[in-house]
Amino acid sequence: ILIGSIWGCSQYSTKPAAVGFHNFSAKYNAYFLGDKDLASAEFGMDSVFKDDYNQLLPLLLPMDSMLALPFKPFLASAIKKASVVAEKHQNSKWTDNAYYILGKSRLYLGQWPDGLEALRYVYANGTDEADKNRALILLMRAYVYKKDFSNALGVAEYISQQPLSKSLQRDFYLTKAYLHQQNGEYLTSVAILEETFPLLSRSKEKARAYFAAGQMYDRLGEYGMAIERYKKVAKTHPDYDLGFYSSMSALQNQVVLNPSTDLSAVGFNKMLKDRKNLDLQDRIYYTMGLLEEHKKNIPKAIEYLQKSVSVSSTKAGSPKAYTYLQLARIHYDRLEKFDLAKAYY
């Protein structure tokens, strides 16, 4: 009787009682806990990641093993829990989800061959179409991070033919926009983002997407569209730094569109006097220097850039290196003062 009962609950049995037992055990003894560990690791990585607003903001956070290193215990635990489902509950409906956790956790840890294999397993052997599409979207994101744009486009083409839920459609559009952004195809990326914005709730993710869209419109020379996107950031309740940089980028574009504008009248002086911006004064002076150079007011541009250096620090996100580079270019290209240019370089 005991042997019969054990066999009846075998992971290879298709009897309703056995499947029910393994569904329950897989979900609550393994998958649920593994999913919580993965979520904790992602929350931690998102909290410590520092955006460089001097560069184009990536639409999705990098799958960087160095970023994941402090959260390795969470990821290792997620892998351990998900492996229980894969090894002991193969007839449960949570097997696809477990392999997704395995794949994502291993990618974060830099274990690319094993991570990609787990995601491909979901696509090849999964029984739920939504789970298969979710794994493919993550696979596409992994290809983009590795600059394998050809494979990423191939996966995107397949997913575009599949029926997707609203949440999967949101994730797919965002990942597809990320693909074209990272490949330098900014016009395609912002076109996809415009379709994505209505699917995003007010969140940090939406704020970053609006800011990145503004940056790409800048690179396309569409400064009016960029201003609109920068102003949208404020409506998504962003953190202070993102709100600051979006406001300043909008001011910068107003001057670009109207070069005769007096910088002191636009709002830069008000930002300099705001005590909350004390640590960001270097960025304000840097931007003012760029705008004065754009207006061909070279002496004033140099003055502002030197002020930026004088109040700057070596903290993450500081424009100090970019400021020195800009001063070097001005002295080399515009003034032909090569000794000073050399010193700044």
Side-chain angles (χ1 to χ4, degrees), residues 315-330:
K315 66 181 184 298
S318 167
K320 193 168 189 176
Y322 299 99
T323 308
Y324 279 131
L325 184 60
Q326 196 63 28
L327 283 165
R329 288 171 174 165
I330 290 174

Side-chain angles (χ1 to χ4, degrees), residues 65-97:
S65 58
M66 292 302 295
L67 181 65
L69 194 58
F71 310 99
K72 185 176 180 179
F74 285 113
L75 294 169
S77 179
I79 291 171
K80 184 178 179 179
K81 300 293 194 310
S83 296
V84 171
V85 180
E87 293 169 5
K88 298 183 179 180
H89 305 290
Q90 292 185 24
N91 61 345
S92 80
K93 65 181 181 180
W94 299 98
T95 303
D96 298 348
N97 307 74

Side-chain angles (χ1 to χ4, degrees), residues 244-259:
F244 168 83
Y245 282 104
S246 59
S247 297
M248 197 166 62
S249 296
L251 291 178
Q252 181 176 338
N253 281 359
Q254 289 177 27
V255 178
V256 170
L257 289 173
N258 186 6

Side-chain angles (χ1 to χ4, degrees), residues 10-43:
S10 166
Q11 63 174 318
Y12 304 107
S13 173
T14 57
K15 293 181 179 179
V19 173
F21 167 77
H22 284 284
N23 279 339
F24 183 87
S25 296
K27 180 178 181 181
Y28 294 107
N29 292 342
Y31 166 73
F32 178 80
L33 298 175
D35 191 48
K36 290 295 182 184
D37 284 331
L38 176 58
S40 296
E42 290 186 313
F43 178 82

Side-chain angles (χ1 to χ4, degrees), residues 260-320:
S260 63
T261 303
D262 182 0
L263 298 190
S264 62
V266 174
F268 286 107
N269 284 355
K270 182 180 179 181
M271 297 179 81
L272 285 168
K273 293 176 183 178
D274 191 333
R275 294 179 62 185
K276 295 193 296 293
N277 296 333
L278 189 61
D279 291 338
L280 296 166
Q281 285 186 347
D282 53 352
R283 178 67 201 195
I284 300 172
Y285 282 125
Y286 172 70
T287 302
M288 294 172 76
L290 295 182
L291 292 173
E292 290 293 359
E293 184 188 2
H294 178 75
K295 296 165 65 175
K296 296 183 171 53
N297 190 350
I298 303 305
K300 199 66 177 176
I302 294 173
E303 178 188 336
Y304 283 137
L305 291 172
Q306 289 175 336
K307 281 184 178 180
S308 175
V309 170
S310 69
V311 299
S312 190
S313 67
T314 56
K315 66 181 184 298
S318 167
K320 193 168 189 176

Side-chain angles (χ1 to χ4, degrees), residues 95-343:
T95 303
D96 298 348
N97 307 74
Y99 271 98
Y100 179 86
I101 290 175
L102 280 171
K104 198 171 193 180
S105 299
R106 292 194 183 281
L107 290 176
Y108 279 134
L109 289 173
Q111 301 168 4
W112 288 89
D114 291 337
L116 296 177
E117 182 181 355
L119 296 177
R120 294 187 186 114
Y121 178 91
V122 178
Y123 168 67
N125 301 287
T127 56
D128 185 282
E129 291 301 318
D131 290 338
K132 291 166 71 172
N133 288 326
R134 187 165 71 125
L136 286 175
I137 292 170
L138 180 57
L139 184 65
M140 180 170 69
R141 176 182 171 184
Y143 282 142
V144 174
Y145 180 68
K146 285 296 187 179
K147 306 297 182 185
D148 187 354
F149 299 120
S150 177
N151 271 325
L153 284 168
V155 175
E157 180 62 28
Y158 174 82
I159 299 175
S160 66
Q161 306 300 318
Q162 307 305 308
L164 300 174
S165 65
K166 185 177 179 179
S167 62
L168 284 178
Q169 188 178 52
R170 175 201 64 210
D171 293 345
F172 173 58
Y173 282 176
L174 199 57
T175 308
K176 185 76 160 45
Y178 172 61
L179 160 61
H180 292 289
Q181 179 201 41
Q182 295 300 298
N183 202 23
E185 299 165 341
Y186 303 130
L187 185 61
T188 304
S189 183
V190 291
I192 296 171
L193 275 182
E194 295 299 338
E195 298 296 320
T196 311
F197 290 135
L199 302 174
L200 296 172
S201 59
R202 286 197 298 180
S203 63
K204 183 178 179 180
E205 183 181 52
K206 189 169 188 176
R208 294 180 84 258
Y210 273 131
F211 187 83
Q215 289 180 307
M216 287 189 281
Y217 278 124
D218 275 343
R219 297 194 177 198
L220 292 168
E222 297 288 346
Y223 301 114
M225 292 292 290
I227 290 173
E228 289 182 19
R229 295 300 164 261
Y230 289 134
K231 289 183 176 180
K232 288 278 189 180
V233 174
K235 298 179 180 180
T236 62
H237 305 297
D239 60 40
Y240 187 81
D241 280 0
L242 184 54
F244 168 83
Y245 282 104
S246 59
S247 297
M248 197 166 62
S249 296
L251 291 178
Q252 181 176 338
N253 281 359
Q254 289 177 27
V255 178
V256 170
L257 289 173
N258 186 6
S260 63
T261 303
D262 182 0
L263 298 190
S264 62
V266 174
F268 286 107
N269 284 355
K270 182 180 179 181
M271 297 179 81
L272 285 168
K273 293 176 183 178
D274 191 333
R275 294 179 62 185
K276 295 193 296 293
N277 296 333
L278 189 61
D279 291 338
L280 296 166
Q281 285 186 347
D282 53 352
R283 178 67 201 195
I284 300 172
Y285 282 125
Y286 172 70
T287 302
M288 294 172 76
L290 295 182
L291 292 173
E292 290 293 359
E293 184 188 2
H294 178 75
K295 296 165 65 175
K296 296 183 171 53
N297 190 350
I298 303 305
K300 199 66 177 176
I302 294 173
E303 178 188 336
Y304 283 137
L305 291 172
Q306 289 175 336
K307 281 184 178 180
S308 175
V309 170
S310 69
V311 299
S312 190
S313 67
T314 56
K315 66 181 184 298
S318 167
K320 193 168 189 176
Y322 299 99
T323 308
Y324 279 131
L325 184 60
Q326 196 63 28
L327 283 165
R329 288 171 174 165
I330 290 174
H331 284 86
Y332 188 91
D333 294 330
R334 294 183 178 272
L335 303 178
E336 297 185 355
K337 294 183 177 180
F338 303 121
D339 286 341
L340 278 174
K342 177 182 176 181

